[in-house]
């Protein structure tokens, strides 16, 4: 036990002095959320605002444009109308961005409207130009509403007559449930990835690095038993994975609290979800999962001759971790006895249910059972692998 | 004391290794039935060309590898059954031994002292003595990454000797070092002998062997070609120089096996 502690203490010191590990383990998880939040909210609110308020150049095409239509369009915020005779060049101008949109009034439009028929208007726009369609549709709807009112008045019909039913919608789902459904799957997924990335560099550094630097023989000729060397090193690998996940939680908190451009509901719901009890529960699943990760990473790192070789084997495994995490985010995939047994997926699904308050405790037990079993299997494999002299000394 | 009896070590070869060695055999005998005895207060030299089995033999002594058959006793302990006791009695140093770059010499030597189960007081005292003799104090709290090759070598020596091992194993200890740095190692080997330790070192440099050793074994293809005292070897020489004699013995072995 003393030996394991000595090994772990030294390896931990060694690890936190490594800039590469430090970046992956502390800096990236800590800053990821604050940076993403400020970028996304900054960009989005800015571009949305821009799209809704910038000046739109609109052509109204037709020989007989109703005055009321022009009036309604002009009433729109920051809209400039351009008159156009009935040729077809407006299409080219809209395509070429010198016009934002064109409203085409066919020759028979006015007569149809007067005859109480449906008059057709055409709106030419590019959906790639954010906000154009939305702004114009709302203006044209106003125009239509005006005409409808006129007709109803002329026919002496009240508006209620043509609206037999009005549905009042009352959503009883709490904000926590609505947002929790998405965030609940997303939060564990982020932490799972950090558990893996945080454990990855120390694993390579503590095993492959030992080979690369030519220190492996030195540690093997110390009196410490090989199992204890492995245990000490493995505990550091697991600890760094957990630490970087915890730092990601800290970063998430900081990002939520110091960014006032985020919608208030998201901030509130995420804060409500991230209660100490929930974090502890999540952690109790992440620990066996990280041990499982370490059990995969360590034999690879023992096998590899160089940092480069280790990385080239581990990179595709990264995808194997990320993909099942995404499966957990898909709607319609629920925690069942089958999915409870698949590592990574099971944590994402279980957390989703925990957040929504609909967790089945039998299935949660199956999740723990599976996580622990996988951890034990890979650790046992690591122990056997580290015990084989040809693996450790492969050069 | 190191006693090696009928020691054999075979390695399984994979496809790649078979191609490299130009053989179709599935196994190779790196060490093939060797018998050696290294006595305390004497320097034993294991001499042989590259790939002769020197490193494998030394790794077997240091318990890094397990013998396929035969046995090794180090300071009275069996390397297979009492691995931990053996490792506690030996210091192991190779020419290519690396150090943990991100630790300081002080941290590194303390670490290995603790791993060898030393108590704090004797560790401190021993460390102070070693740092003094090797003149490590001036750089003992710098990161090892910042040290010169000569400084690193001194730290390696302190690391090897911190627990005052009874048996010291050197695997080509001067490989890749300049003469000045190599001199530290030569001094260390002499000092070990003076302290009554058992010393075994491997080399393919005849001058080094000539300078230091009391007993000599020449190894080739995992087999011992000569085993005896250095003085006897000198008197039996057919050729004028030790190097030529070494080459003659190895070449004779090659022609007889073919």
């Amino acid at each position: 036990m003393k030996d394991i502690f000595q090994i772990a203490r030294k390896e931990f010191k060694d690890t936190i002095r490594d800039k590469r590990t430090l970046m992956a383990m502390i800096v990236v998880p800590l800053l990821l959320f604050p940076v993403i939040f400020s970028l996304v909210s900054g960009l989005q609110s800015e571009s949305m605002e821009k799209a809704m308020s910038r000046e739109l150049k609109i052509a109204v095409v037709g020989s007989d444009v109703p005055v009321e239509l022009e009036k309604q369009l002009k009433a729109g915020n920051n809209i400039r109308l351009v008159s156009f005779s009935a040729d077809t060049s407006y299409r080219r101008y809209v395509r070429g961005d010198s016009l934002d949109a064109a409203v085409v009034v066919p020759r028979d439009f006015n007569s149809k409207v007067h005859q109480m028929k449906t008059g057709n208007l055409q709106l030419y726009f590019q959906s790639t130009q954010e906000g154009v369609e939305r702004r114009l549709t709302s203006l044209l709807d106003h125009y239509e509403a005006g005409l409808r009112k006129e007709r109803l008045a002329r026919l002496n019909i009240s508006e209620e007559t043509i609206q037999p039913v009005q549905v009042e919608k009352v959503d009883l789902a709490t904000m926590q449930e609505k947002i929790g459904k998405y965030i609940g799957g997303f939060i564990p997924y982020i932490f799972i990835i950090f558990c893996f990335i945080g454990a990855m560099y120390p694993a390579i550094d503590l095993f492959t690095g030992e080979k690369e630097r030519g220190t492996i023989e030195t540690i093997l000729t110390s009196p410490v038993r090989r199992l204890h060397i492995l245990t000490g090193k493995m505990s550091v690998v697991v600890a760094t994975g957990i630490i970087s996940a915890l730092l990601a939680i800290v970063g998430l908190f900081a990002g939520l609290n110091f960014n006032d451009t985020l919608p208030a509901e998201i901030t509130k719901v995420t804060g409500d979800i991230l209660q100490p009890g929930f974090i502890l529960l999540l952690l109790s699943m992440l620990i066996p999962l990280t041990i499982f990760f370490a059990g995969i990473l360590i034999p690879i790192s023992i096998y590899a001759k160089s940092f480069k070789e280790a990385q080239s084997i581990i990179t595709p495994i990264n995808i194997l971790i990320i993909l099942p995490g995404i499966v957990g985010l898909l709607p319609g995939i629920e925690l069942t006895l089958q999915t409870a047994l698949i590592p990574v997926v099971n944590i994402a699904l279980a957390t989703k249910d925990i957040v929504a308050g609909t967790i089945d405790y039998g299935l949660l037990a199956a999740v723990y059972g599976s996580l622990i079993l996988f951890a034990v299997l890979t650790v046992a494999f690591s122990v056997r692998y580290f015990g084989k002299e040809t693996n450790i000394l492969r050069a | 004391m190191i006693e090696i009896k009928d020691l054999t070590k075979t390695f399984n070869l994979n496809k790649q290794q078979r191609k490299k060695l130009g053989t179709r055999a599935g196994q190779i005998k790196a060490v093939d039935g060797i018998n050696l005895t290294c006595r305390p207060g004497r320097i034993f030299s294991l001499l042989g060309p590259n790939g002769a089995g020197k490193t494998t033999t030394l790794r077997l002594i240091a318990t890094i590898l397990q013998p396929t058959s035969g046995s090794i006793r180090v300071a009275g302990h069996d390397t297979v059954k009492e691995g931990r006791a053996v490792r506690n009695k030996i210091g192991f140093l190779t020419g290519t031994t690396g150090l943990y770059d991100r630790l300081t010499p002080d941290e590194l030597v303390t670490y290995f002292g603790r791993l060898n189960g030393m108590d704090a007081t004797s560790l401190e005292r021993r460390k102070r003595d070693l740092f003094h003799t090797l003149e490590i104090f001036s750089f003992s709290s710098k990161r090892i990454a910042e040290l010169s090759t000569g400084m690193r070598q001194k730290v390696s020596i302190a690391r090897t000797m911190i627990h005052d091992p009874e048996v010291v194993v050197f695997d080509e200890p001067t490989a890749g070092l300049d003469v000045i740095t190599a001199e530290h190692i030569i001094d260390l080997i002499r000092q070990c002998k003076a302290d009554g330790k058992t010393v075994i070192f491997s080399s393919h440099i005849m001058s080094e062997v000539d300078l230091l050793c009391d007993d000599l074994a020449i190894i080739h293809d995992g087999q011992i070609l000569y085993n005896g005292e250095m003085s006897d070897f000198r008197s039996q020489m057919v050729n004028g120089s030790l190097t030529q004699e070494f080459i003659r013995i190895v070449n004779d072995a090659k022609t007889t096996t073919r």
Side-chain angles (χ1 to χ4, degrees):
Chain A
M1 201 59 209
K2 220 179 88 194
D3 287 343
I4 298 177
F5 173 72
Q6 291 295 354
I7 300 264
R9 187 165 76 164
K10 176 258 163 189
E11 297 298 11
F12 195 71
K13 194 191 281 177
D14 210 348
T15 296
I16 56 170
R17 284 184 186 171
D18 180 25
K19 288 201 186 84
R20 207 162 18 179
T21 310
L22 222 54
M23 276 297 283
M25 180 181 125
I26 296 177
V27 181
V28 173
L30 203 54
L31 294 184
L32 182 80
F33 284 112
V35 168
I36 286 184
F37 284 163
S38 56
L39 278 183
V40 168
S41 64
L43 284 178
Q44 208 172 26
S45 59
E46 211 173 278
S47 72
M48 210 51 196
E49 253 167 55
K50 243 193 212 157
M52 294 318 276
S53 62
R54 79 184 167 96
E55 189 191 68
L56 293 186
K57 253 198 231 163
I58 311 293
V60 184
V61 188
S63 48
D64 193 12
V65 176
V67 185
E68 192 56 33
L69 175 62
E70 268 191 10
K71 213 172 104 190
Q72 278 296 343
L73 289 175
K74 270 183 191 155
N77 188 22
N78 217 358
I79 283 182
R80 209 169 91 212
L81 289 189
V82 184
S83 296
F84 238 83
S85 51
D87 64 37
T88 51
S89 58
Y90 54 83
R91 273 170 174 265
R92 215 174 60 230
Y93 288 117
V94 173
R95 279 298 287 164
D97 287 345
S98 47
L99 275 178
D100 290 296
V103 179
V104 178
V105 184
R107 208 181 291 273
D108 60 354
F109 178 79
N110 276 323
S111 60
K112 274 193 170 170
V113 170
H114 282 302
Q115 291 161 29
M116 298 247 212
K117 286 183 180 160
T118 303
N120 295 310
L121 286 180
Q122 282 149 355
L123 177 63
Y124 288 85
F125 68 100
Q126 298 186 101
S127 60
T128 44
Q129 300 276 2
E130 222 179 317
V132 174
E133 185 196 2
R134 188 130 65 108
R135 288 169 70 179
L136 282 174
T137 309
S138 121
L139 294 173
L140 292 173
D141 282 350
H142 265 113
Y143 173 61
E144 194 203 358
L147 286 180
R148 186 186 297 120
K149 220 171 180 174
E150 245 177 63
R151 281 191 186 180
L152 291 176
R154 196 158 8 131
L155 294 170
N156 213 1
I157 298 173
S158 75
E159 287 196 47
E160 280 172 18
T161 320
I162 59 159
Q163 189 178 21
V165 177
Q166 180 159 25
V167 180
E168 195 182 330
K169 289 180 188 167
V170 183
D171 186 356
L172 289 178
T174 62
M175 205 44 129
Q176 166 148 0
E177 284 166 340
K178 276 189 282 181
I179 300 180
K181 220 178 151 186
Y182 300 100
I183 296 182
F186 180 69
I187 288 177
Y189 170 61
I190 292 295
F191 297 143
I192 287 167
I193 289 176
F194 277 116
C195 282
F196 188 81
I197 294 176
M200 182 172 103
Y201 283 102
I204 301 177
D205 193 55
L206 297 190
F207 289 91
T208 317
E210 193 104 47
K211 267 186 181 179
E212 221 173 23
R213 289 188 290 262
T215 49
I216 187 84
E217 285 175 322
T218 322
I219 190 73
L220 292 178
T221 49
S222 78
V224 182
R225 287 176 55 201
R226 280 192 196 172
L227 179 65
H228 291 169
I229 298 176
L230 179 71
T231 315
K233 282 171 175 281
M234 188 177 259
S235 56
V236 171
V237 172
V238 173
T240 49
I242 298 289
I243 288 173
S244 56
L246 285 177
L247 289 174
I249 298 184
V250 173
L252 180 59
F253 261 120
L256 288 171
N257 288 326
F258 298 111
N259 190 324
D260 42 19
T261 52
L262 286 176
E265 302 92 44
I266 291 187
T267 316
K268 193 185 164 298
V269 170
T270 317
D272 285 348
I273 292 173
L274 292 176
Q275 292 298 314
F278 171 78
I279 292 174
L280 283 179
L281 195 64
L282 184 60
L283 212 56
S284 70
M285 289 189 273
L286 289 181
I287 290 171
L289 182 79
T290 312
I291 296 174
F292 165 64
F293 286 164
I296 296 172
L297 289 168
I298 288 171
I300 295 170
S301 307
I302 295 169
Y303 170 82
K305 283 179 279 193
S306 64
F307 213 97
K308 240 184 178 170
E309 189 185 2
Q311 253 180 326
S312 66
I313 304 173
I314 289 171
T315 308
I317 294 181
N318 246 320
I319 298 169
L320 281 184
I321 306 295
I322 292 170
L323 279 184
I326 291 175
V327 169
L329 287 175
L330 295 176
I333 294 185
E334 303 282 338
L335 192 65
T336 61
L337 198 54
Q338 283 85 34
T339 50
L341 299 180
I342 309 167
V344 180
V345 178
N346 56 7
I347 294 189
L349 293 175
T351 322
K352 224 155 72 169
D353 282 353
I354 291 168
V355 167
T358 55
I359 186 76
D360 175 331
Y361 288 96
L363 289 179
L364 188 62
V367 170
Y368 278 105
S370 151
L371 287 172
I372 292 168
L373 180 72
F374 274 101
V376 168
L377 284 178
T378 56
V379 168
F381 181 70
S382 292
V383 171
R384 277 196 56 183
Y385 204 80
F386 193 63
K388 267 185 101 177
E389 54 198 32
T390 39
N391 297 330
I392 325 177
L393 297 171
R394 180 176 173 265
Chain B
M1 187 81 138
I2 304 171
E3 298 154 277
I4 300 179
K5 285 214 177 78
D6 304 321
L7 182 68
T8 298
K9 177 69 186 176
T10 53
F11 287 114
N12 291 327
L13 295 176
N14 63 29
K15 243 185 202 163
Q16 240 178 339
Q17 289 165 323
R18 254 175 268 171
K19 223 179 197 174
K20 212 166 146 189
L21 292 169
T23 173
R24 296 171 94 181
Q27 287 188 326
I28 186 172
K29 275 188 181 170
V31 174
D32 190 0
I34 68 171
N35 289 284
L36 295 173
T37 304
C38 313
R39 282 161 289 165
R42 293 180 73 86
I43 299 172
F44 192 103
S45 171
L46 199 57
L47 187 67
N50 291 333
K54 299 187 299 280
T55 298
T56 305
T57 308
L58 297 185
R59 282 179 171 175
L60 285 160
I61 294 172
T63 77
I64 300 174
L65 297 176
Q66 301 263 306
T68 309
S69 67
S71 72
I72 309 169
R73 292 184 80 77
V74 176
H77 301 287
D78 184 89
T79 54
V80 178
K81 289 179 201 130
E82 303 159 279
R84 195 186 164 115
V86 168
R87 289 195 295 274
N88 226 328
K89 293 275 162 69
I90 61 168
F92 187 87
L93 182 68
T94 81
T96 52
T97 297
L99 296 164
Y100 299 109
D101 277 356
R102 295 188 292 265
L103 297 185
T104 67
D106 190 59
E107 289 166 342
L108 183 105
V109 173
T110 307
Y111 175 55
F112 280 97
R114 283 187 183 142
L115 292 187
N116 276 286
M118 297 177 79
D119 64 84
T121 6
S122 48
L123 173 58
E124 270 314 303
R125 194 180 323 124
R126 178 82 182 150
K127 192 170 69 183
R128 206 175 48 225
D129 290 349
L130 283 168
F131 280 20
H132 181 73
T133 341
L134 293 161
E135 296 169 333
I136 291 176
F137 275 118
S138 61
F139 54 86
S140 65
S141 43
K142 270 190 180 173
R143 294 271 171 94
I144 290 172
E146 298 165 19
L147 304 183
S148 70
T149 317
M151 291 169 172
R152 284 162 161 266
Q153 205 54 41
K154 287 178 173 182
V155 178
S156 274
I157 293 170
R159 195 270 304 153
T160 314
M161 305 308 293
I162 184 67
H163 57 298
D164 201 8
E166 251 181 80
V167 174
V168 193
V169 181
F170 296 99
D171 187 12
E172 302 201 354
T174 58
L177 301 180
D178 61 56
V179 277
I180 305 292
T181 322
E183 192 60 27
H184 296 308
I185 304 282
I186 307 286
D187 287 346
L188 171 70
I189 295 175
R190 286 211 175 102
Q191 187 58 47
C192 288
K193 181 187 171 178
D195 292 344
K197 298 184 191 303
T198 307
V199 178
I200 180 166
F201 82 98
S202 71
S203 180
H204 55 254
I205 305 165
M206 221 39 229
S207 59
E208 210 172 76
V209 174
D210 189 25
L211 196 68
L212 292 167
C213 83
D214 302 305
D215 301 305
L216 173 72
I218 294 177
I219 185 170
H220 178 66
D221 273 348
Q223 293 177 330
I224 300 287
L225 302 181
Y226 178 89
N227 184 10
E229 291 195 9
M230 191 64 195
S231 49
D232 293 343
F233 183 76
R234 283 203 193 88
S235 57
Q236 287 168 17
M237 270 176 9
V238 177
N239 278 309
S241 89
L242 285 165
T243 309
Q244 280 180 332
E245 183 66 9
F246 168 53
I247 294 168
R248 185 189 65 81
I249 291 175
V250 171
N251 280 341
D252 278 0
K254 273 187 191 163
T255 44
T256 46
T257 46
R258 264 170 208 168

